[in-house]
Amino acid sequence: MKRVITYGTFDLFHEGHYRLLERAKALGDYLIVGVTTEAYDKTRGKLNVVDSLMVRIENVKRSGFADEVIIEETFGQKINDIKKYHIDIFTVGSDWTGTFDYLKDYCQVVYLERTKNISSTMLREQNSRIQRIGIVGSGRIANRFVAEARHVSGVNTQGVYNPRRESAFSFAKKWQIDGYDELEEFYNAIDIVYIASPHETHYGYIKSALEHGKHVLCEKPMVLRQEQAEELFSYAKEKKLVLFEGIKTAYCPGFHKLLGFAGSGTVGSIRNIETCFTKLERTDSRELTDRVYGGSFIELGSYVMLPILKLFGRGFEDIRFDTIRGKNGLDIFTKVSLKYPMGIATATCGLGVKSEGRLLIAGTRGYIVAEAPWWKTSYFEVHYENAEEVEKYSERFLGDGLRYEISDFLSMINGNRSSEFKLTRGESEALAGIMEAFMRVERRGSVYPAEK
Ligand code: CTP
């Protein structure tokens, strides 16, 4: 009996898949089909898979060609499967020609001609028309965003708006997109908005984008007052639009894996969380010179507060800010201490003091630790009382990581799935509330709260 194996995502099952399976089956007597998990697809950069794993398996079974379906979870699994299932022939479509030649040491490798003019990517793009992104602001992060958006199918960066004509046009030229210094014109040319303008302008831009019927992805911190966050989320809901806060850590696969371990009792009940993120900035940088909206906490607070809000929630009993200030009075180093009924947490961030960036989650049975840059989570360890017992976990983190949030934002818009659980409305509102509390304590006597 000849045993054949093939692998694929089989998203939005189409004729190409059917014909591939039909011919794979015809190569032998028994066909095993490996279907990729969502997590595996994410790690290899395939971010917009629409069908769930169960649906994709069901479709493969329904084709009638598979005698057995297995799950493909990791890179490198194929060799083991071939040995385990006593495979004679490995086969995939011709788009992979050459890639799997290394399997020839274990079995015969056959590349079947790919069916022309059909692919899941094509169907995904047809089902949900390409969303034209418009960027508000043209600073550093906007540059990163354009580069990252190119890795997400279903979006196209169309244009950039900046009231300063020069900035808009030089950014547009650099990225070969359209530049606008007129808001109305900008809105007419795009479907969704990414806001990367100075913090204090977020509220106004979000509101105007929603008024113009645009979905919004806004850089963190979205707004600096809880009331504003609540108002904007309600308005978005009323207009049936997506409002999404872009904290990249919240959407990256490694951070999710870590939260999953922490949340499922691996280290017992969590009692202490410590987070730290420092990034030395030049003293003449915007972050260290903007007397109202600069400083370490406004800049990095969203990151350091995120694990605490995700694991301990919003129900803290007490919050305290301790800061070290620079000459101009701005916080160059901030420590936030929170007290919860069953635990304590500290979040530390700095722009003018360097420290060890670490995420530490301590529980009644052990602790989880992720070193810097834990905010781009790709590795963490679980430790127990017995110091020799250490579990190590890793996950890929691709590029600058913005592709994950762009992809989740898009999925929400297209209604494929609700990604809200990764950063809920309540969590975003709480973050704005914490920013507000900080501003109240730290910026007394400054322009705040004149912001409108
Ligand atoms: N396949 C094929 N002909 C097509 C599309 C896919 O023969 N027109 C084959 C692939 O070569 C692979 C299998 O079907 O062996 C599963 O491919 P998968 O990656 O799931 O499908 P694609 O349509 O290529 O998906 P995507 O566009 O997301 O890459």
Side-chain angles (χ1 to χ4, degrees), residues 9-10 14 17 20 46 93 95 114-115 118-121 124:
T9 306
F10 302 102
H14 55 68
H17 295 144
L20 185 284
K46 208 165 179 173
D95 43 327
R114 190 177 159 90
T115 308
I118 181 90
S119 75
S120 305
T121 306
R124 282 192 290 264

Side-chain angles (χ1 to χ4, degrees), residues 137-139 160-174 179-180:
S138 47
V160 61
Y161 166 81
N162 193 318
R164 282 181 292 123
R165 193 182 166 82
E166 272 298 287
S167 309
F169 283 76
S170 68
F171 186 93
K173 192 164 168 223
K174 175 174 175 195
Y180 299 88

Side-chain angles (χ1 to χ4, degrees), residues 205-369:
Y205 283 130
I206 295 173
K207 204 161 176 190
S208 102
L210 293 172
E211 271 161 12
H212 285 80
K214 311 294 173 192
H215 302 286
V216 177
L217 164 50
C218 182
E219 257 312 312
K220 51 90 203 152
M222 190 174 83
V223 284
L224 304 171
R225 287 197 213 173
Q226 184 153 349
E227 204 181 48
Q228 289 185 337
E230 287 166 2
E231 177 202 326
L232 292 170
F233 276 115
S234 298
Y235 187 46
K237 193 171 175 202
E238 187 188 313
K239 302 265 293 178
K240 298 194 169 52
L241 293 166
V242 174
L243 172 56
F244 191 100
E245 182 172 11
I247 304 177
K248 67 171 180 275
T249 313
Y251 304 96
C252 85
F255 185 65
H256 268 274
K257 196 174 197 171
L258 183 151
L259 285 183
F261 274 84
S264 44
T266 317
V267 292
S269 305
I270 301 167
R271 294 284 183 255
N272 178 42
I273 303 174
E274 288 170 25
T275 65
C276 180
F277 184 169
T278 63
K279 181 171 87 178
L280 290 184
E281 285 289 351
R282 290 162 47 129
T283 44
D284 60 354
S285 63
R286 178 198 56 78
E287 290 87 341
L288 285 177
T289 50
D290 182 336
R291 296 282 296 276
V292 183
Y293 301 103
S296 59
F297 191 66
I298 301 287
E299 194 56 30
L300 301 172
S302 311
Y303 291 119
V304 289
M305 286 307 304
L306 180 70
I308 299 171
L309 285 176
K310 293 297 304 178
L311 293 167
F312 275 170
R314 290 168 265 155
F316 49 85
E317 294 167 336
D318 189 32
I319 183 165
R320 208 186 75 215
F321 302 95
D322 290 302
T323 58
I324 294 171
R325 296 163 193 253
K327 284 198 191 92
N328 61 6
L330 272 181
D331 60 304
I332 57 166
F333 188 77
T334 296
K335 212 177 247 294
V336 189
S337 310
L338 296 108
K339 211 169 151 333
Y340 284 84
M342 295 301 284
I344 51 175
T346 55
T348 306
C349 50
L351 294 175
V353 175
K354 191 67 196 165
S355 184
E356 188 184 3
R358 206 160 61 143
L359 165 60
L360 180 76
I361 299 162
T364 50
R365 289 189 54 230
Y367 64 91
I368 298 175
V369 63

Side-chain angles (χ1 to χ4, degrees), residues 6-12 14-21 23 36 44 46 49 91-96 112-124:
T6 189
Y7 295 86
T9 306
F10 302 102
D11 190 27
L12 301 172
H14 55 68
E15 194 201 334
H17 295 144
Y18 185 90
R19 296 204 49 236
L20 185 284
L21 294 178
R23 286 170 294 155
T36 55
R44 58 195 194 118
K46 208 165 179 173
V49 176
T91 186
V92 275
S94 52
D95 43 327
W96 296 101
L112 293 168
E113 198 177 329
R114 190 177 159 90
T115 308
K116 297 209 168 44
N117 300 323
I118 181 90
S119 75
S120 305
T121 306
M122 225 169 92
L123 292 178
R124 282 192 290 264

Side-chain angles (χ1 to χ4, degrees), residues 197-204 224 286 290 292-293 451-452:
S197 54
H199 306 315
E200 66 274 23
T201 62
H202 287 179
Y203 173 79
L224 304 171
R286 178 198 56 78
D290 182 336
V292 183
Y293 301 103
E451 169 211 358
K452 274 277 173 301

